[in-house]
Amino acid sequence: MVAAAAIIAVICAILFAFAVIGTVKAVRAVKRGVDRTVAEARRTVEDTRLKAKQHTQPGAAGEVAQLRLSLRTSMRATQEALRTGVVEDASLSESLALFERLSTHGRELDEDLRRLEDEPDKARVAACLPSLRERTQNITQSADSLRWAAQDRARQFADDDLATLSEQIRMESGALRHWDTEPAEPAEKAAGGAAPGPGSATGAGAGTERAAIDGRNAWRQAGYSWQKTRRPESTP
């Protein structure tokens, strides 16, 4: 009894530990989902605000909003393209590592632009814009280059796979239509085997014809078991 109780206690402890682990994992998954949803909502709100500011505020303030929006859009698109592509193409891991380094500069630039949005001195904003514009252009061009290269690579793989598949289908179709690829017998050989010589009308050709006719007649004469054999007319 003591041993059975100990075994039951151990089993209950194991089940309780599994339940706790499952609960912790579920809570963490829910938390990650909530954090991701909140981050996406904040990003959407920020992008909407920048778009509105870009169109409603002319001058340096509108250009700062435009630079931030361009930077965020390019970086986000490249990040999604590389993270999705590396799942199927491991060679993109190096490109993803380069993009992570580029993201550090992108985040620093976004912070600089955000601070410039709140700058009340318009002259300072106008003075800082040329360098920030150049940095934004360099970062977005680098991000776009990585994204386009990854997309071209995936497209090339798809084209190569389609070409290989088309060739395999062509070969399989030819194998299924094997009678189209078999060489036909020469006409002379066929004619020589079919046409008899001048004095052989009653020879092999006639013999073959008689054999075929005899065989057909024999089959008819054999008939079925319920058919009666025709008697000669002289038979009483």
Side-chain angles (χ1 to χ4, degrees), residues 32-53:
R32 286 195 299 269
V34 172
D35 293 342
R36 184 166 53 251
T37 302
V38 171
E40 291 177 356
R42 288 178 178 175
R43 184 169 59 246
T44 303
V45 171
E46 183 68 11
D47 291 346
T48 303
R49 185 186 70 82
L50 291 173
K51 290 179 181 179
K53 193 173 183 179

Side-chain angles (χ1 to χ4, degrees), residues 5-166:
I7 293 174
I8 293 175
V10 170
I11 294 175
C12 291
I14 294 174
L15 294 177
F16 179 76
F18 282 149
V20 171
I21 293 173
T23 303
V24 171
K25 288 184 177 180
V27 170
R28 289 180 178 176
V30 171
K31 184 178 181 299
R32 286 195 299 269
V34 172
D35 293 342
R36 184 166 53 251
T37 302
V38 171
E40 291 177 356
R42 288 178 178 175
R43 184 169 59 246
T44 303
V45 171
E46 183 68 11
D47 291 346
T48 303
R49 185 186 70 82
L50 291 173
K51 290 179 181 179
K53 193 173 183 179
Q54 173 186 357
H55 295 291
T56 58
Q57 295 187 4
E63 186 174 356
V64 170
Q66 180 183 1
L67 291 177
R68 284 197 68 195
L69 186 62
S70 175
L71 175 67
R72 293 161 63 89
T73 302
S74 176
M75 297 296 286
R76 188 182 308 122
T78 303
Q79 183 183 44
E80 292 178 357
L82 292 179
R83 288 185 177 179
T84 303
V86 76
V87 177
E88 298 179 355
D89 187 2
S91 61
L92 292 179
S93 57
E94 185 175 354
S95 301
L96 187 59
L98 292 175
F99 175 75
E100 293 299 333
R101 294 174 56 187
L102 184 66
S103 298
T104 303
H105 296 278
R107 285 189 291 268
E108 293 176 356
L109 176 59
D110 188 63
E111 287 296 323
D112 293 341
L113 291 170
R114 186 183 61 79
R115 284 192 296 266
L116 200 62
E117 279 187 288
D118 302 330
E119 177 61 44
D121 190 354
K122 303 302 180 183
R124 177 173 174 77
V125 174
C128 294
L129 266 178
S131 62
L132 293 175
R133 189 186 302 116
E134 183 179 0
R135 287 174 60 190
T136 304
Q137 185 178 5
N138 290 336
I139 293 176
T140 54
Q141 285 181 352
S142 298
D144 293 343
S145 179
L146 283 175
R147 182 177 71 255
W148 294 338
Q151 292 173 351
D152 292 343
R153 181 180 177 85
R155 190 180 302 110
Q156 183 62 40
F157 282 164
D159 293 342
D160 292 344
D161 183 69
L162 179 59
T164 302
L165 179 61
S166 300

